[in-house]
Amino acid sequence: MKEKILTKAVDMFLNLGFKSVTMDDIAHEIGISKKTIYTEYSNKTALVEDCVMHKFCTMSDGIDDIVALGKNPIEELYEIKKYVLSHLKDEKTSPQYQLMKYYPKIYGNLKKLHFDKMQGCVLSNVERGVTQEIYRSNLNVEFVARIYFSGVNSIKDQSVFPLERFPVAYLMDTYLEYHLRGIVTPKGREILNGIINSNQQ
């Protein structure tokens, strides 16, 4: 039962927002009593935290699987972007903003986990790209990893990038290209242009 509650709650929170969805709503959607949810979760905060950590672990494992394929670093970033997009809803409710506003402690923990995961992933990606001579050899690898993380978070700010003008898929595509064009060598640029051209066909 716990897994059923978790699956439905994750879907509803991402679609409708953490604030908007009540325990009654989740119980109604599953067709159980609210009391049944409270036998598994002491309160809504506990459920939100479990949902957030479950989603993070799922995404993290999926990214690890992509990295294990051993693609070249540019292709790897495009595969990760495609994977992340397929798992995140084209949100209208900005669940991340609601999480930050109404559950700041959970948001803080998630942000730290997200930072640690992305740092490791991007540091490794940049180092391999430099070794393969598709990224410039004079890069400050840690700076590149941190600025990439910072940018990925910044483009989620809907006060700067309103959804009606900047859809999520467009933002992620454009930001990834912006990031890569700043660090590739001529050899890397050929790979990047090839991926972009094949995606547009």
Side-chain angles (χ1 to χ4, degrees):
M1 181 51 72
K2 189 171 187 176
E3 197 170 320
K4 197 172 183 181
I5 294 166
L6 186 63
T7 303
K8 178 54 70 177
V10 167
D11 185 57
M12 291 179 74
F13 285 145
L14 282 181
N15 269 308
L16 304 167
F18 292 101
K19 173 68 173 168
S20 320
V21 176
T22 65
M23 299 295 250
D24 279 317
D25 295 332
I26 297 164
H28 177 73
E29 281 293 315
I30 301 171
I32 58 173
S33 71
K34 187 165 66 169
K35 196 171 163 186
T36 307
I37 298 180
Y38 283 116
T39 61
E40 302 290 351
Y41 295 98
S42 55
N43 52 42
K44 184 180 172 184
T45 302
L47 176 58
V48 168
E49 184 166 26
D50 202 17
C51 287
V52 167
M53 291 305 124
H54 174 76
K55 191 69 183 175
F56 173 80
C57 290
T58 302
M59 301 289 288
S60 191
D61 290 346
I63 289 168
D64 288 344
D65 290 344
I66 292 168
V67 172
L69 296 173
K71 292 176 178 281
N72 81 55
I74 296 173
E75 287 177 324
E76 179 180 280
L77 287 180
Y78 271 92
E79 285 299 314
I80 289 172
K81 182 211 62 152
K82 196 192 301 179
Y83 172 77
V84 170
L85 263 180
S86 74
H87 276 262
L88 294 180
K89 311 288 180 186
D90 198 6
E91 306 122 2
K92 299 289 182 284
T93 54
S94 185
Q96 177 157 317
Y97 172 75
Q98 288 197 5
L99 195 64
M100 181 170 62
K101 186 173 180 183
Y102 299 106
Y103 300 94
K105 190 177 174 191
I106 298 172
Y107 175 79
N109 291 340
L110 176 65
K111 192 169 181 182
K112 184 178 185 318
L113 287 169
H114 186 205
F115 174 77
D116 291 343
K117 180 69 186 177
M118 271 191 76
Q119 274 295 98
C121 192
V122 179
L123 278 170
S124 166
N125 182 278
V126 176
E127 284 165 355
R128 282 182 290 116
V130 170
T131 303
Q132 294 174 28
E133 299 180 345
I134 59 176
Y135 296 159
R136 292 187 285 110
S137 61
N138 62 341
L139 295 171
N140 180 326
V141 177
E142 191 176 352
F143 172 79
V144 171
R146 285 172 183 266
I147 203 74
Y148 184 67
F149 173 81
S150 178
V152 163
N153 275 294
S154 296
I155 63 173
K156 293 174 186 169
D157 185 343
Q158 291 181 20
S159 66
V160 180
F161 297 102
L163 267 178
E164 61 274 12
R165 289 175 56 197
F166 300 97
V168 174
Y170 170 81
L171 271 178
M172 287 179 74
D173 256 340
T174 308
Y175 181 67
L176 182 54
E177 182 182 348
Y178 176 82
H179 163 73
L180 285 167
R181 290 212 181 276
I183 65 173
V184 292
T185 60
K187 179 182 170 184
R189 195 178 307 118
E190 282 184 28
I191 296 169
L192 176 59
N193 289 340
I195 291 171
I196 291 168
N197 291 336
S198 69
N199 286 346
Q200 287 171 347
Q201 286 167 4

